[in-house]
Amino acid sequence: MTAAEHSMSLRKLLPPVHRRRTRIGLVAGGLGTYWPQFPGLLPQLKESAAYVTERLQEMDAEVTDVGFVSDAEEGAAAAEQLRRTDCDLIVLFLTTYLTSSIVLPIARRSHTPVLVVDLQPSERMDHAGFDTGAWLAYCAQCSVPEVGNVFRRAGIPFRSVSGWLRQESAWERIGQWVRAAHVRAALRHARHGLMGHLYPGMLDVSTDPTLLPTTFGSHVEVLEFDDLRHRVERVTEAETRDRMALARKVFTLDDSVVDEDFAWGATVSVALDRLVEDFGLDTLAYYHRGLDGELHERLGAGMILGASLLTARGVPAAGEYELRTSVAQLASQSVGAGGSFTEIQALNFEDGVVEMGHDGPAHLAVGARGPLLRGLGVYHGKRGWGVSVELDVRHGPVTLLGLGQDADGSLSFITSEGTVVPGPLLEIGNTTSRVDFGRDPGEWVDAWSATGVGHHWSLAVGHHTADFRAAASLLGIDHREV
């Protein structure tokens, strides 16, 4: 089975969780003084605006088109309409020259990031056949620097895409900003579950739960393992059998899997689904140390199967209480790139690769083949035992996304692009990959570590640094690239 066939099969078995769609606001504009002077101009510009609406509606977003504005009063009215819509991004389409007074209210009153788009009708003018009215459909670029200047003076971040109407490279740049809006939408409205307690001594993992609401608008729901225990106690034997049957369709079971441990993981999985539903969670980070096989230790040890299935359905899960990494996984997922819980495992200087992976929950969509369920008598660095997910990451381009935090408490997106290449992998119940960053592995580790990233991050398939850089811009945080 190919990676694409495997992904399609997973979607059928594990239908994704449905969330609020990304909302894109759209307003087109030009200088109303021109309309009586050149009667054919406005209809032409509105045709271009209709094409822009059509293209945006193809980008998996809910588009609110508030129409065409021609003066400052109409701009202010559009701003109020967009403010009520609660957009994740506003696209301001400049169709011809307009004064900055028309569009400043849209940026100021909506409290939403704005993308200025300037797309002239074709690649170039027909100089011999054009009159003034025809030229005016090509002169929107004239107002782009004006808008940029006024935005800067108003303290408003300025972003723009200039090109021509059917230029696919320009639409790819616009699409990048829409993908960034998907990230902003996901993080603005996310409910992050945080269950258990910090892995003792992991100071880089420690995150102030207030930081996410104040930075992104997210909510952090503090949970206890007793919230899970309560739901585990109510799982029926029939539900456990059904979950085991589902797991057999999704995973290949290794001979090391103990039936009792498999059944326990399936029971915890059913309870995890209810926990997520009851608290409306979009992510889950968890850890519990436990002692001598007591119930809470067994709950923590039984999480991997259910957490991997949740991650595959679009609810990223991370062990070791890694709240910031679960956020990075949600951002990766929002651009359609998966996003699996990852750290450095070893360096291979002979092959020039960084070996990466992690025990615990995996994102099944990044796999090169069907995932394996392996039985482990001990979890390294953690108490407990049970079933674990083993997964090889598909070969090809990947992007690492981590959330760093600075001395002033501010968060940042940190990315690095590489390529997963074939070669020997450990068979220890982990997600594993060999990533070639095109440089000495030790030098890469030094540069990556100097950014302020923690020792966990999200591994996403494809190259998405440009998407995450744009998302950082919309979120108002820094972006760093290695």
Side-chain angles (χ1 to χ4, degrees):
M1 182 182 293
T2 66
E5 290 170 338
H6 173 59
S7 295
M8 185 176 298
S9 175
L10 284 177
R11 283 194 294 270
K12 290 179 180 178
L13 291 170
L14 304 169
V17 174
H18 293 290
R19 295 192 175 94
R20 170 192 179 275
R21 294 187 72 198
T22 301
R23 297 176 183 174
I24 304 297
L26 173 63
V27 58
L31 184 61
T33 305
Y34 297 146
W35 315 151
Q37 295 176 328
F38 306 97
L41 178 59
L42 182 58
Q44 179 186 0
L45 301 182
K46 287 188 173 181
E47 284 184 16
S48 294
Y51 178 78
V52 170
T53 301
E54 179 183 329
R55 290 295 299 261
L56 287 175
Q57 287 173 335
E58 296 172 355
M59 295 186 181
D60 190 27
E62 181 181 307
V63 179
T64 298
D65 184 351
V66 298
F68 203 101
V69 297
S70 303
D71 55 37
E73 290 78 13
E74 291 179 356
E80 286 302 307
Q81 188 174 346
L82 291 168
R83 181 183 61 80
R84 291 191 296 270
T85 304
D86 186 31
C87 299
D88 301 297
L89 175 69
I90 291 174
V91 176
L92 174 57
F93 177 34
L94 309 185
T95 64
T96 182
Y97 174 77
L98 51 66
T99 60
S100 49
S101 63
I102 297 175
V103 297
L104 181 60
I106 294 169
R108 284 188 60 86
R109 300 182 190 181
S110 62
H111 303 291
T112 299
V114 173
L115 173 65
V116 174
V117 172
D118 149 41
L119 301 174
Q120 66 184 36
S122 65
E123 293 178 88
R124 64 177 182 85
M125 292 188 294
D126 175 10
H127 297 79
F130 271 27
D131 59 12
T132 303
W135 157 63
L136 286 173
Y138 284 74
C139 76
Q141 299 91 341
C142 181
S143 55
V144 176
E146 177 179 339
V147 174
N149 171 276
V150 171
F151 276 24
R152 179 174 287 270
R153 291 165 70 177
I156 298 168
F158 177 75
R159 312 163 187 88
S160 67
V161 172
S162 295
W164 57 282
L165 196 60
R166 288 170 171 77
Q167 182 184 3
E168 289 307 315
S169 59
W171 278 105
E172 171 54 33
R173 288 152 60 203
I174 294 169
Q176 172 187 298
W177 287 107
V178 173
R179 290 191 295 274
H182 290 329
V183 176
R184 181 173 186 262
L187 298 192
R188 268 209 312 148
H189 297 277
R191 291 175 55 85
H192 303 288
L194 190 59
M195 184 170 70
H197 61 80
L198 186 70
Y199 189 112
M202 285 187 183
L203 302 182
D204 64 320
V205 168
S206 179
T207 302
D208 175 6
T210 305
L211 192 59
L212 299 189
T214 56
T215 302
F216 304 130
S218 307
H219 171 76
V220 178
E221 185 71 22
V222 177
L223 304 168
E224 300 182 9
F225 263 79
D226 283 325
D227 292 316
L228 180 60
R229 173 193 58 77
H230 176 75
R231 288 162 177 81
V232 164
E233 291 170 351
R234 284 156 177 75
V235 176
T236 67
E237 291 183 5
E239 288 171 326
T240 295
R241 287 194 300 270
D242 288 346
R243 186 54 51 96
M244 293 172 75
L246 172 64
R248 287 190 180 95
K249 294 177 182 178
V250 174
F251 300 92
T252 298
L253 268 62
D254 186 73
D255 292 341
S256 59
V257 172
V258 176
D259 288 343
E260 180 183 354
D261 296 341
F262 182 28
W264 176 246
T267 300
V268 174
S269 175
V270 174
L272 273 175
D273 284 1
R274 289 181 180 157
L275 184 80
V276 165
E277 183 178 355
D278 291 346
F279 287 96
L281 302 181
D282 296 292
T283 73
L284 178 64
Y286 64 91
Y287 177 76
H288 182 78
R289 181 169 55 189
L291 182 65
D292 295 336
E294 52 84 30
L295 178 57
H296 292 86
E297 177 185 299
R298 296 294 296 131
L299 287 169
M303 293 275 291
I304 295 174
L305 171 60
S308 296
L309 294 176
L310 277 174
T311 302
R313 292 179 54 216
V315 181
E320 299 180 9
Y321 213 59
E322 251 294 14
L323 176 59
R324 293 204 309 279
T325 297
S326 66
V327 173
Q329 290 174 265
L330 182 60
S332 301
Q333 173 191 286
S334 299
V335 298
S340 203
F341 187 35
T342 306
E343 66 184 2
I344 298 171
Q345 292 179 322
L347 305 182
N348 186 325
F349 290 94
E350 184 175 298
D351 295 342
V353 298
V354 180
E355 298 189 39
M356 292 187 180
H358 209 286
D359 62 342
H363 198 309
L364 307 183
V366 307
R369 54 184 172 83
L372 179 76
L373 208 60
R374 185 181 293 280
L376 297 178
V378 62
Y379 291 153
H380 74 274
K382 305 174 186 70
R383 292 179 174 140
W385 66 93
V387 293
S388 188
V389 173
E390 189 170 296
L391 181 68
D392 303 348
V393 176
R394 74 180 68 161
H395 300 161
V398 292
T399 304
L400 311 184
L401 172 65
L403 259 69
Q405 187 173 0
D406 292 339
D408 63 359
S410 60
L411 295 174
S412 57
F413 273 1
I414 301 171
T415 62
S416 188
E417 294 182 345
T419 304
V420 173
V421 296
L425 299 169
L426 293 172
E427 297 180 352
I428 57 172
N430 283 201
T431 301
T432 54
S433 59
R434 293 160 43 92
V435 187
D436 182 353
F437 291 101
R439 61 192 298 186
D440 177 85
E443 292 180 1
W444 180 86
V445 170
D446 292 339
W448 181 245
S449 303
T451 62
V453 71
H455 80 282
H456 299 127
W457 46 83
S458 170
L459 182 146
V461 292
H463 282 165
H464 295 280
T465 286
D467 296 334
F468 295 135
R469 182 187 301 113
S473 171
L474 297 188
L475 292 164
I477 62 175
D478 286 343
H479 171 262
R480 298 166 195 162
E481 180 182 3
V482 173

